Amino acid sequence: SNGKQHHILTGLVFDETGDRLCPTHTNKKGRRYRYYVSKKLVHESNDNSDGWRVPAKALEDTVTREIHKLMKDEARLIEGLDLHEGNSKQIQNSLELASGLADQILNADQASRRTTLESLVSRINLHADRIRIEMDSSQLQNEPGLITLDIPIEMRRRGVERKIILSPNGASTVDEKIIKLIADTRNWFNQISTGKAAMVREIAHQNNVDENDISRFLPLAFLAPDIVETVLAGKQPPELTTEKLKRLKSLPLSWEEQHRLLGLAR
């Protein structure tokens, strides 16, 4: 609890077999990466293919964002809490409580968010096609009950790790790092093509970037337009990361070959 980053869903997340997911983290090159891992995977003797290893931030962001949306949606709340028969004062009181909880979940510090989620959420179940969140409705009205929130998703594997991909009906998973890399390379090429810079060394000096990096990454300015659109929409495959683009030895000129190389079906 004294760490800079807390796993705010500890004890609440379960996989489709009912196995609880435990908080864990790894350190790589000085960076700390947090995960929720099926308890069975904690023991090395278990088969990794039977468990889940989900990046913590992606799961936490998805859960908190969707709960916040529900708590701010008065029509959905009235339906979920079955408040149609209640008087106007009861309805208003429940909606105000929900709005207050939504603000705490989204804007409070991690410790407060954890406390709020623990009081509201009974269980989070992960499935291949959805995240099911079960919430205690007694936090919003004076009687026990359950609100169930289903978030349509895809769970895609990258080794042992699983990446959350929201369905087309949900929000997209936009990777700001990839977008920035592509934008930078287009900016560098623009500087050369317009004469603002005569050589790579000038671009490196003007942008405070290593000269070798510019030479290696500049071909990304010629990515196929529909690949760029896919990245902007957050619909790229989980395997397509900034690190993968940076490690490319060469980028084919053919857009068709670019799609095959980057794992994008046409």
Side-chain angles (χ1 to χ4, degrees), residues 2 7 33 36 42 50 67 77 95 112 114 118 130-131 146 164 187 202 224 243 257 262:
N2 294 326
H7 288 75
Y33 297 89
Y36 290 96
V42 175
D50 293 334
I67 292 178
L77 274 178
L95 295 178
S112 299
R114 163 67 187 170
E118 195 172 26
R130 70 190 186 282
I131 299 173
L146 192 70
I164 299 172
N187 179 43
E202 284 186 46
E243 290 71 25
E257 291 178 13
L262 300 178

Side-chain angles (χ1 to χ4, degrees), residues 91-123:
I91 295 174
Q92 188 61 35
N93 183 55
S94 293
L95 295 178
E96 288 177 357
L97 286 172
S99 180
L101 287 172
D103 292 336
Q104 291 177 40
I105 290 171
L106 197 65
N107 302 320
D109 58 53
Q110 284 190 317
S112 299
R113 290 169 69 196
R114 163 67 187 170
T115 300
T116 302
L117 286 168
E118 195 172 26
S119 66
L120 179 64
V121 177
S122 304
R123 187 181 178 100

Side-chain angles (χ1 to χ4, degrees), residues 2-15:
N2 294 326
K4 293 182 179 180
Q5 291 182 315
H6 306 299
H7 288 75
I8 61 174
L9 302 179
T10 298
L12 300 175
V13 187
F14 298 81
D15 65 22

Side-chain angles (χ1 to χ4, degrees), residues 55-207:
K57 187 177 187 304
L59 180 59
E60 291 167 357
D61 287 351
T62 300
V63 168
T64 54
R65 181 176 59 247
E66 295 300 318
I67 292 178
H68 178 269
K69 285 169 57 178
L70 174 64
M71 294 293 119
K72 290 290 188 178
D73 190 329
E74 296 186 355
R76 288 175 66 193
L77 274 178
I78 290 173
E79 182 70 28
L81 294 172
D82 194 22
L83 296 175
H84 302 92
E85 303 300 325
N87 59 53
S88 59
K89 186 176 181 179
Q90 290 174 326
I91 295 174
Q92 188 61 35
N93 183 55
S94 293
L95 295 178
E96 288 177 357
L97 286 172
S99 180
L101 287 172
D103 292 336
Q104 291 177 40
I105 290 171
L106 197 65
N107 302 320
D109 58 53
Q110 284 190 317
S112 299
R113 290 169 69 196
R114 163 67 187 170
T115 300
T116 302
L117 286 168
E118 195 172 26
S119 66
L120 179 64
V121 177
S122 304
R123 187 181 178 100
I124 299 169
N125 293 304
L126 301 183
H127 301 271
D129 61 345
R130 70 190 186 282
I131 299 173
R132 168 161 288 188
I133 304 173
E134 298 177 357
M135 290 173 283
D136 180 8
S137 65
S138 66
Q139 298 294 316
L140 305 174
Q141 56 185 358
N142 296 323
E143 57 184 68
L146 192 70
I147 304 176
T148 300
L149 173 61
D150 282 325
I151 308 169
I153 61 163
E154 295 176 35
M155 284 286 189
R156 297 183 184 173
R157 280 189 179 273
R158 185 166 58 195
V160 178
E161 183 176 324
R162 301 201 188 194
K163 183 171 182 179
I164 299 172
I165 307 294
L166 292 178
S167 73
N169 294 327
S172 300
T173 307
V174 176
D175 190 326
E176 299 291 347
K177 291 182 180 179
I178 297 182
I179 293 173
K180 183 180 186 304
L181 177 61
I182 296 173
D184 284 343
T185 60
R186 290 195 165 200
N187 179 43
W188 299 337
F189 176 73
N190 181 64
Q191 291 181 51
I192 293 176
S193 62
T194 60
K196 292 180 180 179
M199 58 184 67
V200 168
R201 184 171 300 171
E202 284 186 46
I203 299 175
H205 178 72
Q206 292 173 12
N207 296 273

Side-chain angles (χ1 to χ4, degrees), residues 172-175 179 182 225 227-236:
S172 300
T173 307
V174 176
D175 190 326
I179 293 173
I182 296 173
I227 293 179
V228 177
E229 291 174 359
T230 297
V231 170
L232 290 173
K235 296 179 180 178
Q236 71 279 357

